[in-house]
Amino acid sequence: MARTPKTTYTITDDLTGEEITEEDAQSISFMYGGTAYELDLSSENAKKLDDFLAPYVDAARKVRNSSRFPRSAVERGAKRDLQKVRVWAGENGYQVAPRGIIKKEVLDAYDKAH
């Protein structure tokens, strides 16, 4: 009988460090001070972040076609579930960390496959 390697990922809430289910996990990408960030949060903590940022979002202007914030990068980041990208990548021979930046080649391959 042949053995097939199996990769298992544990998702943790980046704010609390607690383990969360894939169904409860939300990957949130944002930019602040010219730096891009990404968080994996439980739906409860994502709601707290949404509530906290609501007055700032309401007062802010949307940025369109700016060289500082390339539209395609913002749109792709908002549409992708990065945890699913990580799982897909592991199942398809790519090595990705459970947190942090995912290489462009992996994101491109994921987009092509989906």
Side-chain angles (χ1 to χ4, degrees):
M1 174 156 73
R3 293 183 184 213
T4 305
K6 182 178 179 180
T7 304
T8 304
Y9 293 93
T10 302
I11 307 169
T12 56
D13 183 305
D14 289 333
L15 186 63
T16 64
E18 295 176 1
E19 188 174 321
I20 51 178
T21 65
E22 185 174 354
E23 295 78 31
D24 190 38
Q26 293 187 30
S27 289
I28 299 173
S29 301
F30 63 98
M31 292 189 88
Y32 181 76
T35 302
Y37 297 92
E38 180 181 294
L39 283 169
D40 294 325
L41 296 175
S42 67
S43 53
E44 179 183 345
N45 283 332
K47 170 104 174 71
K48 288 178 185 178
L49 179 63
D50 288 343
D51 292 345
F52 177 79
L53 291 175
Y56 299 96
V57 171
D58 290 343
R61 296 176 301 282
K62 289 187 178 182
V63 177
R64 299 190 192 274
N65 297 329
S66 168
S67 61
R68 277 184 61 202
F69 304 103
R71 183 176 176 176
S72 60
V74 172
E75 288 175 353
R76 278 196 311 265
K79 291 180 183 178
R80 283 194 195 109
D81 180 335
L82 297 178
Q83 191 57 38
K84 288 182 181 178
V85 173
R86 287 183 169 84
V87 171
W88 176 88
E91 292 171 351
N92 288 277
Y94 295 93
Q95 290 191 353
V96 291
R99 292 178 40 183
I101 296 173
I102 300 173
K103 291 182 180 178
K104 183 181 182 320
E105 70 182 66
V106 175
L107 294 173
D108 290 345
Y110 178 85
D111 289 343
K112 186 175 181 180
H114 292 86

